Amino acid sequence: MRIVSLLPAATDIVAELGLSADLVGRTHECDWPPREVASVPVVTGADLDQDILSSREISDAVGGSAHSGSSLYTLDTDALAALRPDVVLTQDLCDVCAVSYEKVSGAVRLLDADTRVLSLEPRTLDDVLDCLVTVGELLGVRERAERRCAELRARLGQVRDSVAGRVRPRVVAVEWLDPLWPAGHWVPEQIATAGGEPLLASPGEHTKPMTWETVRAARPDVMLVLPCGFPPERTLRETESLTRLPGWAELPAVRAGRVHVLDGPAYFNRPGPRVVRGAEVLAHVLHGVRTGEPVTEAEARAFPGMPGVPGR
């Protein structure tokens, strides 16, 4: 089967199902697993250079917010046609984070082929894991997908068990720096699974920008900084957008040294199987406990000026 993935999370799912060899096309942001996807042709590009522009400049360019307005992605329809895909995996959840479903559907209609388009629209942890089975069924490996789904759910159960009975810190997760934006959808569930009390967003919620005063009023014990699409190194270039805010030093999370920079694209922004690893990372960050592999500095690190990540 010839698969084109127009969503990084979908590429993660294909890899989780052991079908990376069937990928014939991907987005420029599909980066996992590195070896398997490196040689897969890219059929998208970006109108904006996120390495050069600030969070505010990116936000302004896409319509004044991080999750509305025009997509950052462009689609090479000629390249897509040349790949002759049997299946195209895409999304209709966010108009900025990936090629829009409308754009993909329009391109596929022009193909002289019997191509199936599957749009993934998960909003909760259960939805994310259910997508694994949905994709597995379409690709002819439903039983394998159900096994992998059960294994992932078991790992989440291990995380819950590891933090059971512990005091639950109050947590704010920041998904965009300027304007400030709380992480919604599945992230509140990741936090709750890992033994925290998520603030400012509910499970499954498509959030809106928040004011700094809202954050200050929430008085979080812990702040997680995981901007959408920014690996930690990119996030660290904009720490001043937070530290210059009035009252930053008085925030309980800052005074306690509990502000952490996490790998958003790998474990929190994308609705793929690695959200389970995100919950494991959070259990370590929030409580210093380990489930699964040891947490590395690439996965979670202290915000500049903070003493460190628990247990490391």
Side-chain angles (χ1 to χ4, degrees), residues 169-192:
R170 292 158 47 83
V171 182
V172 165
V174 177
E175 193 175 60
W176 197 250
L177 296 172
D178 190 7
L180 282 170
W181 203 292
H185 293 139
W186 47 86
V187 176
E189 291 175 283
Q190 289 176 290
I191 293 169

Side-chain angles (χ1 to χ4, degrees), residues 71-96:
S71 173
L72 296 176
Y73 281 19
T74 57
L75 176 63
D76 187 335
T77 55
D78 291 337
L80 178 65
L83 293 173
R84 299 176 290 106
D86 300 306
V87 172
V88 176
L89 302 175
T90 185
Q91 61 89 46
D92 199 22
L93 186 65
C94 175
D95 289 336
V96 173

